[in-house]
């Protein structure tokens, strides 16, 4: 006769609690490795009594636990000790107890899902089930000896970092699986095009999911085809491809189908939905276009966006999946955009491993160059790179004047200082020579 899930769970609970009673020294491991939700019925009552003694610093033994519970539990405690021959396998007992508690909880939720008759009733149940599958208590504590051994193993081989569509970024930005990236910018700066170009590039080596909350999969693929086959976007939008262009499309067939990239229409999705799809499809890298459009609970937009950012950061760390989320910037009239302009929540800046900000070189020239500013980079420098954007073919490349970006910005700053100096004292206005140094404010 097969052992049911509930029987496995009860056996695991008995073994964990029995181990504490016969070997109190394992109590800290049980307290850190399990929680109240991992026990049921009488076992939960015993666990809570042990936890109370543990937190108070009192001795934990059969006598003290029996005293805390009362005489009615004495026989049950004796039974727990009798069926647990040794505490040597406590780690295995803890793992099994937690695993079976999650299985039981998911089964209970599944029963509720079976009778839910609307998507509104199903959504919170699905989110809770997804949360249960996250192993939040799976702590991995590393001693200095373990860390040294790992260091020696890791640094004897060449590291593997994510490469970039613009090769000049490879020696400046060291991204890895499990990182949380933000691509920020004002509308029409090319965030989605840059994200698609990165997704296409990475899909040659990794499985990539592109969650779009505002653009259909068909429109996204039109942009991708313009970039991959170098066909004018206007020709694609008007459906007037020439025979030569159709030949290009057909010739691209092997390369396009070989890319491990999937487009997901994600309107109305929550971070829990994204996690569930990511787990189901086995993505190694995901894109969210864009973060502020994900659905979330909260009393206001700041609270909602904060919870979204935390959820995506947790997804990246817990699953080892690189998360690239696009974010809008608050509109500002003057000055270059910065991380403080991330719309609706400072939590985004705090959670991200890297923040890329795209902006126009000239505000009145949307067809001109873009400045890609790495405003935050936990693992390296924060460069500024000038990118040329070919809107007809939805493609970014390094601009010829990339090395002049910083110098141009400094020059613009000096001009602004001269103007401010002249306006501050109009009676003594003087024209400063072009190369006159202007001190910056401290």
């Amino acid at each position: 006769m097969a052992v049911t899930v509930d029987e496995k769970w009860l056996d695991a609970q008995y073994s964990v609690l029995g181990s504490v009673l016969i070997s109190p020294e394992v109590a800290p491991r049980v307290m850190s490795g399990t929680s109240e939700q991992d026990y049921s019925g009488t076992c939960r009552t015993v666990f809570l009594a042990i936890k109370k003694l543990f937190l108070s610093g009192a001795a934990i033994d059969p006598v003290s636990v029996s005293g805390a519970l009362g005489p009615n539990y004495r026989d049950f405690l004796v039974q727990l000790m009798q069926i647990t021959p040794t505490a040597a396998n406590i780690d295995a007992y803890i793992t099994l107890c937690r695993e079976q508690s999650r299985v039981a909880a998911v089964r209970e939720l599944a029963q509720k899902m079976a009778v839910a008759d609307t998507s509104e009733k199903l959504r919170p149940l699905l989110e809770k089930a997804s949360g249960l599958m996250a192993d939040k208590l799976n702590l991995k504590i590393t001693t200095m000896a373990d860390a040294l051994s790992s260091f020696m193993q890791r640094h004897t081989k060449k590291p593997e970092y994510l490469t970039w569509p613009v090769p000049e970024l490879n020696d400046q930005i060291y991204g890895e699986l499990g990182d949380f990236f933000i691509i920020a910018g004002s509308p029409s700066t090319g965030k989605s095009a840059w994200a698609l170009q990165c997704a296409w590039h990475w899909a040659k080596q990794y499985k990539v999911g592109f969650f779009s909350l505002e653009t259909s999969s068909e429109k996204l693929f039109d942009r991708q085809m313009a970039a991959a086959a170098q066909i004018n976007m206007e020709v694609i939008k008007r459906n007037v491809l020439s025979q030569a262009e159709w030949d290009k499309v057909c010739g691209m067939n092997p390369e396009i189908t070989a890319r491990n990239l999937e487009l997901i229409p994600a309107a109305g999705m929550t971070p829990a939905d994204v996690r569930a799809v990511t787990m189901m499809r086995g993505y190694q890298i995901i894109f969210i276009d864009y973060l502020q459009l994900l659905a979330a609970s909260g009393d206001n937009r700041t609270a909602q966006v904060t919870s979204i950012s935390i959820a995506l950061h947790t997804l990246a760390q817990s699953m080892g999946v690189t998360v690239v989320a696009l974010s809008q910037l608050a509109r500002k009239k003057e000055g270059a955009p910065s991380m403080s302009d991330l719309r609706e929540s400072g939590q985004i800046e705090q959670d991200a491993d890297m923040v890329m900000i795209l902006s126009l070189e000239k505000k009145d020239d949307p067809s001109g160059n873009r400045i890609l500013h790495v405003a935050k980079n936990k693992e390296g420098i924060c460069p500024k790179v000038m990118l040329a954007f070919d809107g007809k073919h939805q493609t970014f490349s390094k601009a010829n004047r990339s090395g002049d970006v910083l110098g141009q910005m400094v020059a613009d700053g000096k001009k602004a200082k001269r103007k401010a100096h002249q306006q501050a004292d109009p009676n003594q206005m003087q024209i400063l020579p072009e190369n006159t140094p202007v001190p910056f404010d401290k």
Side-chain angles (χ1 to χ4, degrees):
M1 181 177 176
V3 179
T4 66
V5 173
D6 290 340
E7 289 174 339
K8 289 182 181 178
W9 187 19
L10 282 175
D11 288 343
Q13 294 177 64
Y14 293 158
S15 299
V16 172
L17 297 175
S19 295
V20 176
L21 293 173
I22 64 177
S23 299
E25 65 271 13
V26 304
R29 286 150 75 180
V30 173
M31 292 301 111
S32 64
T34 63
S35 65
E36 177 182 348
Q37 287 70 33
D38 295 321
Y39 302 87
S40 62
T42 305
C43 287
R44 179 175 292 185
T45 303
V46 174
F47 172 79
L48 291 175
I50 295 174
K51 182 178 181 180
K52 186 175 181 180
L53 291 171
F54 179 80
L55 294 176
S56 67
I60 298 174
D61 54 45
V63 175
S64 61
V65 176
S66 178
L69 290 169
N72 293 336
Y73 288 85
R74 185 171 302 166
D75 291 342
F76 182 68
L77 297 178
V78 171
Q79 181 186 359
L80 290 177
M81 291 186 288
Q82 289 176 340
I83 64 177
T84 308
T86 176
N89 299 322
I90 184 60
D91 292 330
Y93 299 155
I94 288 173
T95 299
L96 183 59
C97 183
R98 293 181 55 224
E99 171 66 18
Q100 294 303 315
S101 72
R102 287 198 301 272
V103 171
V106 172
R107 287 179 64 194
E108 182 180 349
L109 287 170
Q111 292 173 358
K112 294 179 180 179
M113 292 179 198
V115 297
D117 55 1
T118 65
S119 58
E120 287 75 15
K121 293 179 181 179
L122 275 173
R123 185 181 296 279
L125 297 173
L126 288 169
E127 290 184 4
K128 191 171 182 180
S130 178
L132 285 170
M133 297 308 293
D135 201 6
K136 296 180 181 178
L137 290 176
N138 188 19
L139 299 178
K140 183 181 179 182
I141 299 173
T142 304
T143 66
M144 289 298 96
D146 293 336
L148 177 59
S149 176
S150 174
F151 178 90
M152 296 175 70
Q153 292 178 13
R154 288 185 292 111
H155 292 282
T156 56
K157 58 183 180 180
K158 186 177 180 181
E160 293 185 9
Y161 296 112
L162 298 174
T163 61
W164 298 89
V166 177
E168 287 75 15
L169 294 174
N170 291 341
D171 295 330
Q172 303 181 70
I173 304 175
Y174 303 110
E176 300 178 87
L177 294 180
D179 285 345
F180 180 31
F181 298 158
I182 296 293
I183 298 176
S186 301
S188 301
T189 52
K191 298 186 300 297
S192 295
W194 174 243
L196 271 174
Q197 191 169 345
C198 290
W200 174 260
H201 177 77
W202 288 335
K204 193 171 184 177
Q205 182 176 357
Y206 304 99
K207 187 167 185 179
V208 182
F210 198 103
F211 293 80
S212 178
L213 289 99
E214 63 173 357
T215 306
S216 69
S217 298
E218 290 80 8
K219 289 183 178 180
L220 283 176
F221 189 73
D222 285 351
R223 296 181 187 180
Q224 188 58 71
M225 183 56 73
Q230 289 294 286
I231 298 174
N232 193 319
M233 189 66 192
E234 184 178 352
V235 170
I236 293 176
K237 294 298 293 182
R238 293 171 53 208
N239 287 346
V240 289
L241 278 72
S242 66
Q243 185 58 51
E245 288 162 338
W246 276 118
D247 291 341
K248 275 188 177 182
V249 172
C250 294
M252 288 292 298
N253 182 47
E255 182 176 353
I256 291 173
T257 56
R259 299 283 169 140
N260 213 348
L261 173 61
E262 297 179 351
L263 308 176
I264 306 101
M269 275 193 178
T270 66
D273 297 329
V274 172
R275 172 188 279 271
V277 175
T278 299
M279 292 175 64
M280 177 180 67
R281 301 298 298 169
Y283 296 135
Q284 296 170 283
I285 301 174
I286 62 171
F287 288 77
I288 312 294
D289 187 12
Y290 60 91
L291 182 151
Q292 283 89 350
L293 288 181
L294 283 171
S297 58
D299 296 334
N300 52 59
R301 280 300 296 162
T302 298
Q304 292 168 2
V305 174
T306 294
S307 69
I308 292 169
S309 178
I310 292 173
L312 294 179
H313 178 253
T314 302
L315 188 161
Q317 285 200 325
S318 64
M319 296 180 61
V321 173
T322 296
V323 178
V324 185
L326 279 62
S327 176
Q328 294 281 21
L329 291 177
R331 295 181 182 273
K332 59 187 300 183
K333 296 181 179 179
E334 300 295 336
S338 65
M339 284 194 293
S340 62
D341 299 317
L342 288 169
R343 182 176 290 180
E344 296 168 322
S345 177
Q347 188 70 37
I348 302 173
E349 174 184 347
Q350 180 177 328
D351 290 334
D353 294 294
M354 182 178 67
V355 178
M356 287 183 167
I357 299 178
L358 272 174
S359 60
L360 299 176
E361 180 191 13
K362 298 178 181 179
K363 290 185 178 181
D364 57 350
D365 185 13
S367 62
N369 290 335
R370 267 66 167 168
I371 298 172
L372 178 66
H373 177 203
V374 180
K376 177 182 180 181
N377 185 9
K378 287 184 178 179
E379 300 295 332
I381 63 175
C382 294
K384 291 185 176 77
V385 178
M386 186 77 78
L387 297 178
F389 179 55
D390 181 358
K392 292 182 178 180
H393 302 104
Q394 296 289 292
T395 304
F396 283 91
S397 60
K398 182 185 175 183
N400 292 331
R401 296 186 295 109
S402 179
D404 300 330
V405 176
L406 186 58
Q408 183 61 47
M409 288 183 170
V410 172
D412 291 343
K414 289 182 177 181
K415 289 180 181 179
K417 284 291 184 180
R418 294 190 192 95
K419 184 177 180 181
H421 175 79
Q422 295 169 2
Q423 292 177 346
D425 192 359
N427 295 326
Q428 300 183 18
M429 185 179 300
Q430 55 180 326
I431 304 299
L432 299 177
E434 183 67 23
N435 295 324
T436 300
V438 180
F440 289 89
D441 293 335
K442 295 183 180 180

